[in-house]
Amino acid sequence: MSTAHAAGETHQPVFVGPTRAQLEALFPKYPTKQSVLLPALWLVQEARGWISEGALHEVAEVLGLTPAYVKGVVTFYTMYHTHPVGRHFIQVCTTSPCNICGAEEVTKAFLRHTGCGELGATSPDGRFTVIEVECLGACGFATPVLIDDDFVEGVTPERVAGILQGYK
Ligand code: FES
C-alpha cells in the first residue's frame, strides 16, 4: 500500500517483509525505539538507494520521531543520500591537509574519468556520483577516497582511471 505525504510524493513503504523483519531485529539491541534511527536509515538506503521525503516520513512514524528531526539527521551525514545517486558513491576528502597534497586535482580526475562533470551529479551511465567531504580521518595518507565501503588511501590523479575499473 502506498501513502501520500506532505510533498505530494507517492511512497511505497520500505518497512515491509524482510526489511521490516530487519528493523524489528534491531529494537532489542537499542535502549529506545528512537535510538534505532541511524541503522533504520541505513536499511532504507540499502533497500532504495537513497532516502526520499516519503521514506523519511515513514522512518519518523515508525520510530515515534518528528519528520523534522529525522531530516536533520539525514542531512547532517554525507553518508545518507537525499536524492538518487550512482551505483558507486565516491567521497573525496578535500579538507585543507589533503587539499595541500593535491586533493583538488584528484577530485577533478574523478569527475573527468567518471563522466559526472560536476560534484553531486550522477554519470550518464548511472555508475557514479562524486562528492567532496570533510576529513576522513586519514590525513597522513592523502588523498583518501571512500568508494562505497572501500577506503582507498594515497590516491593521485594518475591512479583514478585504474581505481574506477574495479567498479562496474
Ligand atoms: S584532511 Fe583529509 S583525511 Fe583528514
Side-chain angles (χ1 to χ4, degrees), residues 93 95 97-98 135-139 144:
C93 173
T95 303
C98 287
C135 183
L136 286 170
C139 320

Side-chain angles (χ1 to χ4, degrees), residues 92-99 103 133-145 151:
V92 185
C93 173
T94 54
T95 303
S96 302
C98 287
N99 230 354
V133 290
E134 298 297 321
C135 183
L136 286 170
C139 320
F141 304 93
T143 294
V145 178
F151 200 77

Side-chain angles (χ1 to χ4, degrees), residues 50-88:
W50 65 292
I51 300 168
S52 66
E53 277 289 317
L56 190 152
H57 278 72
E58 185 186 350
V59 169
E61 195 179 318
V62 168
L63 300 184
L65 296 163
T66 65
Y69 183 86
V70 176
K71 189 166 197 159
V73 171
V74 169
T75 54
F76 178 78
Y77 294 106
T78 58
M79 62 192 185
Y80 295 123
H81 311 317
T82 54
H83 54 84
V85 294
R87 287 197 298 285
H88 304 292

Side-chain angles (χ1 to χ4, degrees), residues 105-106 109 112-113 154-163:
E105 291 309 312
V106 171
R112 194 169 58 248
H113 287 287
V155 178
T156 59
E158 294 71 31
R159 287 186 60 201
V160 168
I163 290 170

